[in-house]
Amino acid sequence: MPDRETEAELTGVPAPDTGTSTPKTIAGRKLKPSTLMMGHGFDPALSEGSLKPPIFLTSTFVFPNAAAGKRHFEGVTGKRPGGAEGLVYSRFNGPNQEILEDRLSVWEEAEDALAFSSGMSAIATLFLSMVKPGDTIVHSGPLYAATETLIARILGRFGVHWLDFPAGATRAEIDAVLSKAASGNVALIYLESPANPTNALVDVEAVRASRDAIFANSPSKPPIAIDNTFLGPLWSKPLQHGADIVVYSLTKYAGGHSDLVAGGVLGTKEHINTIRAMRNTIGTICDPNTAWMLLRSLETLELRMSRAGENAAKVCAFLREHPKVESMGYLGFIDDARQKDIYDRHCTGAGSTFSLLVKGGEAEAFRFLDALKIAKLAVSLGGTETLASHPAAMTHLSVPEARKKALGITDNLVRISIGVEDADDLIADFDQALAAI
């Protein structure tokens, strides 16, 4: 919400000290995010006493005076850092979006946050705000297919280059790629962990150490951004491990009900200000209704993710022993010593999205998917319902065959996102579907 003290300075009218927005501390005790989701950033007294924020369906906002309008536009246009200090126009900000951004920041203790119309609009706005022709993006692989397309095919048309390293790369492997890229201008280091759809983890701490060492004598270091959709914000907090910027498809766990599309970016004020300037220009902010729905969803985020994680652990324990399952990419069953080390340092839970490799190929995977009764055959993840899809033929269809093979996106790989149904019912569903192979 707009800063009431600043508004008071501009209008000359003292701001009411209502004190009904949820405080961040009580008697020195720091409140948990799950508590703050119920009221942080919203004062009912400023909205006719409404317990929940209303949906502010308006395209523009009335300035208290001309000086306030000038001051707000100085922020919106970048003449003064930090964005508008009040409400201006719904392409720039709005009450629902600002409350949402306040609450998103709470989960990872980020300095600031921005909400977007989709996960890909968040990623695209991030890239457009950071890179220019001739720059290089260094990224982990695999990435979500649309992100790879955006980097290689779209930004590549405008002279942006890229180099990548595998998600599970060692410090030496990361050093080698960053050193090679450093011969040009590295504008951004972009990570995705766990990788979609293999669930391979990236060592964010190693990437940070490599970046800091290789660019120690550079006037500026390329920021490290990471897509934290699969595990965040409950099971992974990359800002604590060296990332500067965290990206989300809020469509997934944050939204959690498969009824909205949105994205988010969190990080330092310096980086968020840069990204905000681009968002203000190209208009990729999420709409008020979507922001309001996300506020609703954030109230149950911890409950939903916890239940889904518990269900996934039970389902995966069953699938691991099934004779028609070749292997699994579930973070609770990591065999590789390096991946286990990354998991132990970076994660507090295994999540509820995993890859399942059935014995056979595409035909067997399709039979399994077509036989499911409870789990729905659909892309996306992190909803209350269990979803299953075939990345090679669906979400990653546009990835060249050679790259899919190199990244381990095989024809027998199925991606599963476990929901909040009864775990035993889900096990029965997967058992009968595997019988169809």
Side-chain angles (χ1 to χ4, degrees), residues 108 189 191 204-205 207-208 211 223-228 237-247 266-268 271 346:
E108 298 200 39
I189 300 170
L191 314 174
V204 182
E205 291 176 346
V207 173
R208 175 68 178 239
R211 190 276 307 267
I224 298 169
I226 181 169
D227 186 332
N228 194 36
K237 299 181 186 296
L239 294 178
Q240 297 178 5
H241 301 289
D244 302 298
I245 301 165
V246 175
V247 179
L266 299 75
T268 64
H271 293 311
H346 286 33

Side-chain angles (χ1 to χ4, degrees), residues 158-420:
F158 299 96
V160 175
H161 312 291
W162 62 272
L163 288 172
D164 72 333
F165 54 84
T170 63
R171 168 67 189 274
E173 291 171 325
I174 296 167
D175 282 349
V177 174
L178 280 180
S179 296
K180 181 179 180 181
S183 60
N185 183 56
V186 179
L188 181 68
I189 300 170
Y190 187 81
L191 314 174
E192 185 178 293
S193 184
N196 184 358
T198 61
N199 254 19
L201 294 169
V202 178
D203 191 338
V204 182
E205 291 176 346
V207 173
R208 175 68 178 239
S210 179
R211 190 276 307 267
D212 289 351
I214 290 170
F215 296 92
N217 298 319
S218 300
S220 62
K221 300 174 183 177
I224 298 169
I226 181 169
D227 186 332
N228 194 36
T229 298
F230 271 37
L231 290 182
L234 198 63
W235 299 306
S236 177
K237 299 181 186 296
L239 294 178
Q240 297 178 5
H241 301 289
D244 302 298
I245 301 165
V246 175
V247 179
Y248 281 101
S249 169
L250 299 177
T251 309
K252 313 303 192 292
Y253 291 102
H257 295 78
S258 301
D259 56 6
L260 61 85
V261 175
V265 176
L266 299 75
T268 64
K269 285 189 177 294
E270 177 187 2
H271 293 311
I272 293 299
N273 284 339
T274 299
I275 301 164
R276 179 187 285 109
M278 180 60 70
R279 188 188 70 171
N280 286 349
T281 301
I282 63 178
T284 47
I285 191 171
C286 78
D287 65 275
N289 186 72
T290 297
W292 183 89
M293 293 175 72
L294 281 162
L295 290 173
R296 167 215 62 182
S297 296
L298 288 179
E299 294 183 1
T300 59
L301 175 63
E302 185 175 63
L303 293 172
R304 289 183 287 102
M305 291 185 75
S306 296
R307 170 63 181 254
E310 293 166 1
N311 279 353
K314 295 176 183 177
V315 169
C316 289
F318 165 77
L319 293 173
R320 187 184 197 183
E321 305 301 326
H322 199 284
K324 293 186 180 179
V325 171
E326 180 180 299
S327 63
M328 297 180 64
Y330 172 59
L331 296 179
F333 301 150
I334 299 177
D335 296 322
D336 180 80
R338 171 148 179 78
Q339 284 285 291
K340 185 65 166 62
D341 174 57
I342 299 172
Y343 177 81
D344 289 342
R345 286 185 286 114
H346 286 33
C347 308
T348 58
S352 63
T353 299
F354 58 91
S355 58
L356 174 71
L357 281 76
V358 301
K359 290 184 177 179
E362 181 183 277
E364 287 72 21
F366 278 16
R367 288 193 198 104
F368 167 72
L369 289 168
D370 289 345
L372 292 169
K373 305 292 185 183
I374 298 173
K376 302 297 189 294
L377 177 55
V379 297
S380 197
L381 57 102
T384 50
E385 65 288 298
T386 296
L387 300 177
S389 63
H390 190 273
M394 297 174 187
T395 55
H396 290 69
L397 181 64
S398 61
V399 178
E401 290 300 320
R403 182 158 177 79
K404 276 195 285 192
K405 183 177 180 180
L407 296 174
I409 304 172
T410 58
D411 287 338
N412 67 331
L413 187 152
V414 173
R415 191 184 73 183
I416 296 172
S417 171
I418 297 294
V420 300

